[in-house]
PDB file of all heavy atoms in Angstrom:
ATOM      1  N   ALA A 289     128.359  81.009 122.096  1.00 35.00           N
ATOM      2  CA  ALA A 289     129.715  81.590 122.121  1.00 35.00           C
ATOM      3  C   ALA A 289     130.655  80.722 121.330  1.00 35.00           C
ATOM      4  O   ALA A 289     131.532  81.169 120.622  1.00 35.00           O
ATOM      5  CB  ALA A 289     130.215  81.784 123.550  1.00 35.00           C
ATOM      6  N   GLY A 290     130.419  79.417 121.338  1.00 35.00           N
ATOM      7  CA  GLY A 290     131.288  78.469 120.604  1.00 35.00           C
ATOM      8  C   GLY A 290     131.186  78.672 119.142  1.00 35.00           C
ATOM      9  O   GLY A 290     132.079  78.252 118.412  1.00 35.00           O
ATOM     10  N   GLY A 291     130.078  79.226 118.644  1.00 36.00           N
ATOM     11  CA  GLY A 291     129.952  79.362 117.181  1.00 36.00           C
ATOM     12  C   GLY A 291     130.362  80.694 116.649  1.00 36.00           C
ATOM     13  O   GLY A 291     130.353  80.900 115.425  1.00 36.00           O
ATOM     14  N   ALA A 292     130.822  81.615 117.516  1.00 33.00           N
ATOM     15  CA  ALA A 292     131.152  82.948 117.026  1.00 33.00           C
ATOM     16  C   ALA A 292     132.506  82.946 116.319  1.00 33.00           C
ATOM     17  O   ALA A 292     133.477  82.329 116.802  1.00 33.00           O
ATOM     18  CB  ALA A 292     131.170  83.932 118.175  1.00 33.00           C
ATOM     19  N   LEU A 293     132.629  83.580 115.179  1.00 30.00           N
ATOM     20  CA  LEU A 293     133.828  83.630 114.424  1.00 30.00           C
ATOM     21  C   LEU A 293     134.335  85.071 114.306  1.00 30.00           C
ATOM     22  O   LEU A 293     133.759  85.800 113.547  1.00 30.00           O
ATOM     23  CB  LEU A 293     133.614  83.078 112.986  1.00 30.00           C
ATOM     24  CG  LEU A 293     133.087  81.668 112.859  1.00 30.00           C
ATOM     25  CD1 LEU A 293     132.730  81.402 111.419  1.00 30.00           C
ATOM     26  CD2 LEU A 293     134.108  80.664 113.348  1.00 30.00           C
ATOM     27  N   ALA A 294     135.280  85.516 114.901  1.00 31.00           N
ATOM     28  CA  ALA A 294     135.941  86.785 114.608  1.00 31.00           C
ATOM     29  C   ALA A 294     134.988  87.839 114.021  1.00 31.00           C
ATOM     30  O   ALA A 294     135.182  88.302 112.919  1.00 31.00           O
ATOM     31  CB  ALA A 294     137.068  86.583 113.717  1.00 31.00           C
ATOM     32  N   LEU A 295     133.886  88.057 114.691  1.00 33.00           N
ATOM     33  CA  LEU A 295     132.811  88.876 114.143  1.00 33.00           C
ATOM     34  C   LEU A 295     133.032  90.366 114.409  1.00 33.00           C
ATOM     35  O   LEU A 295     133.480  90.739 115.461  1.00 33.00           O
ATOM     36  CB  LEU A 295     131.474  88.442 114.712  1.00 33.00           C
ATOM     37  CG  LEU A 295     131.168  86.953 114.523  1.00 33.00           C
ATOM     38  CD1 LEU A 295     129.877  86.602 115.228  1.00 33.00           C
ATOM     39  CD2 LEU A 295     131.054  86.640 113.043  1.00 33.00           C
ATOM     40  N   ALA A 296     132.645  91.191 113.463  1.00 39.00           N
ATOM     41  CA  ALA A 296     132.706  92.583 113.635  1.00 39.00           C
ATOM     42  C   ALA A 296     131.698  93.034 114.674  1.00 39.00           C
ATOM     43  O   ALA A 296     130.614  92.519 114.710  1.00 39.00           O
ATOM     44  CB  ALA A 296     132.449  93.334 112.317  1.00 39.00           C
ATOM     45  N   PRO A 297     132.049  93.936 115.584  1.00 44.00           N
ATOM     46  CA  PRO A 297     131.109  94.390 116.594  1.00 44.00           C
ATOM     47  C   PRO A 297     129.998  95.173 116.007  1.00 44.00           C
ATOM     48  O   PRO A 297     130.122  95.768 114.925  1.00 44.00           O
ATOM     49  CB  PRO A 297     131.926  95.275 117.523  1.00 44.00           C
ATOM     50  CG  PRO A 297     133.072  95.742 116.662  1.00 44.00           C
ATOM     51  CD  PRO A 297     133.351  94.621 115.738  1.00 44.00           C
ATOM     52  N   VAL A 298     128.812  95.208 116.666  1.00 50.00           N
ATOM     53  CA  VAL A 298     127.698  96.013 116.225  1.00 50.00           C
ATOM     54  C   VAL A 298     128.174  97.450 116.144  1.00 50.00           C
ATOM     55  O   VAL A 298     128.858  97.961 117.033  1.00 50.00           O
ATOM     56  CB  VAL A 298     126.525  95.903 117.238  1.00 50.00           C
ATOM     57  CG1 VAL A 298     125.473  96.945 116.975  1.00 50.00           C
ATOM     58  CG2 VAL A 298     125.877  94.498 117.190  1.00 50.00           C
ATOM     59  N   GLY A 299     127.772  98.098 115.027  1.00 43.00           N
ATOM     60  CA  GLY A 299     128.159  99.476 114.820  1.00 43.00           C
ATOM     61  C   GLY A 299     129.456  99.608 114.026  1.00 43.00           C
ATOM     62  O   GLY A 299     129.836 100.706 113.658  1.00 43.00           O
ATOM     63  N   SER A 300     130.165  98.533 113.758  1.00 39.00           N
ATOM     64  CA  SER A 300     131.414  98.588 113.038  1.00 39.00           C
ATOM     65  C   SER A 300     131.147  98.787 111.550  1.00 39.00           C
ATOM     66  O   SER A 300     130.087  98.380 110.987  1.00 39.00           O
ATOM     67  CB  SER A 300     132.155  97.246 113.233  1.00 39.00           C
ATOM     68  OG  SER A 300     132.777  96.823 112.044  1.00 39.00           O
ATOM     69  N   ALA A 301     132.093  99.401 110.886  1.00 31.00           N
ATOM     70  CA  ALA A 301     131.913  99.656 109.447  1.00 31.00           C
ATOM     71  C   ALA A 301     131.946  98.369 108.644  1.00 31.00           C
ATOM     72  O   ALA A 301     131.519  98.303 107.516  1.00 31.00           O
ATOM     73  CB  ALA A 301     133.080 100.579 108.981  1.00 31.00           C
ATOM     74  N   ALA A 302     132.433  97.259 109.290  1.00 34.00           N
ATOM     75  CA  ALA A 302     132.506  95.973 108.565  1.00 34.00           C
ATOM     76  C   ALA A 302     131.164  95.317 108.525  1.00 34.00           C
ATOM     77  O   ALA A 302     130.964  94.339 107.817  1.00 34.00           O
ATOM     78  CB  ALA A 302     133.504  95.065 109.265  1.00 34.00           C
ATOM     79  N   THR A 303     130.165  95.759 109.305  1.00 37.00           N
ATOM     80  CA  THR A 303     128.848  95.188 109.278  1.00 37.00           C
ATOM     81  C   THR A 303     128.135  95.517 107.997  1.00 37.00           C
ATOM     82  O   THR A 303     127.905  96.691 107.741  1.00 37.00           O
ATOM     83  CB  THR A 303     128.018  95.645 110.498  1.00 37.00           C
ATOM     84  OG1 THR A 303     128.743  95.354 111.674  1.00 37.00           O
ATOM     85  CG2 THR A 303     126.685  94.907 110.535  1.00 37.00           C
ATOM     86  N   PRO A 304     127.743  94.526 107.173  1.00 38.00           N
ATOM     87  CA  PRO A 304     127.109  94.833 105.863  1.00 38.00           C
ATOM     88  C   PRO A 304     125.659  95.267 105.971  1.00 38.00           C
ATOM     89  O   PRO A 304     125.063  95.167 107.043  1.00 38.00           O
ATOM     90  CB  PRO A 304     127.245  93.502 105.123  1.00 38.00           C
ATOM     91  CG  PRO A 304     127.180  92.487 106.219  1.00 38.00           C
ATOM     92  CD  PRO A 304     127.887  93.082 107.388  1.00 38.00           C
ATOM     93  N   ALA A 305     125.145  95.731 104.895  1.00 38.00           N
ATOM     94  CA  ALA A 305     123.731  96.133 104.838  1.00 38.00           C
ATOM     95  C   ALA A 305     122.855  94.921 105.046  1.00 38.00           C
ATOM     96  O   ALA A 305     123.235  93.776 104.790  1.00 38.00           O
ATOM     97  CB  ALA A 305     123.439  96.794 103.489  1.00 38.00           C
ATOM     98  N   ALA A 306     121.617  95.121 105.440  1.00 41.00           N
ATOM     99  CA  ALA A 306     120.679  94.073 105.692  1.00 41.00           C
ATOM    100  C   ALA A 306     120.169  93.498 104.359  1.00 41.00           C
ATOM    101  O   ALA A 306     120.432  94.044 103.293  1.00 41.00           O
ATOM    102  CB  ALA A 306     119.482  94.607 106.468  1.00 41.00           C
ATOM    103  N   ALA A 307     119.447  92.357 104.455  1.00 51.00           N
ATOM    104  CA  ALA A 307     118.846  91.753 103.278  1.00 51.00           C
ATOM    105  C   ALA A 307     117.875  92.721 102.634  1.00 51.00           C
ATOM    106  O   ALA A 307     117.373  93.691 103.254  1.00 51.00           O
ATOM    107  CB  ALA A 307     118.148  90.470 103.680  1.00 51.00           C
ATOM    108  N   THR A 308     117.560  92.481 101.362  1.00 85.00           N
ATOM    109  CA  THR A 308     116.707  93.444 100.623  1.00 85.00           C
ATOM    110  C   THR A 308     115.255  93.421 101.078  1.00 85.00           C
ATOM    111  O   THR A 308     114.579  94.366 100.928  1.00 85.00           O
ATOM    112  CB  THR A 308     116.803  93.108  99.111  1.00 85.00           C
ATOM    113  OG1 THR A 308     116.482  91.748  98.897  1.00 85.00           O
ATOM    114  CG2 THR A 308     118.207  93.364  98.615  1.00 85.00           C
ATOM    115  N   ASP A 309     114.769  92.277 101.566  1.00 96.00           N
ATOM    116  CA  ASP A 309     113.355  92.246 102.064  1.00 96.00           C
ATOM    117  C   ASP A 309     113.249  93.094 103.265  1.00 96.00           C
ATOM    118  O   ASP A 309     114.229  93.276 104.039  1.00 96.00           O
ATOM    119  CB  ASP A 309     113.001  90.840 102.465  1.00 96.00           C
ATOM    120  CG  ASP A 309     112.690  89.904 101.279  1.00 96.00           C
ATOM    121  OD1 ASP A 309     112.164  90.460 100.279  1.00 96.00           O
ATOM    122  OD2 ASP A 309     112.929  88.737 101.349  1.00 96.00           O
TER     123      ASP A 309
END
Side-chain angles (χ1 to χ4, degrees):
L293 303 172
L295 303 174
V298 168
S300 140
T303 304
T308 55
D309 284 326

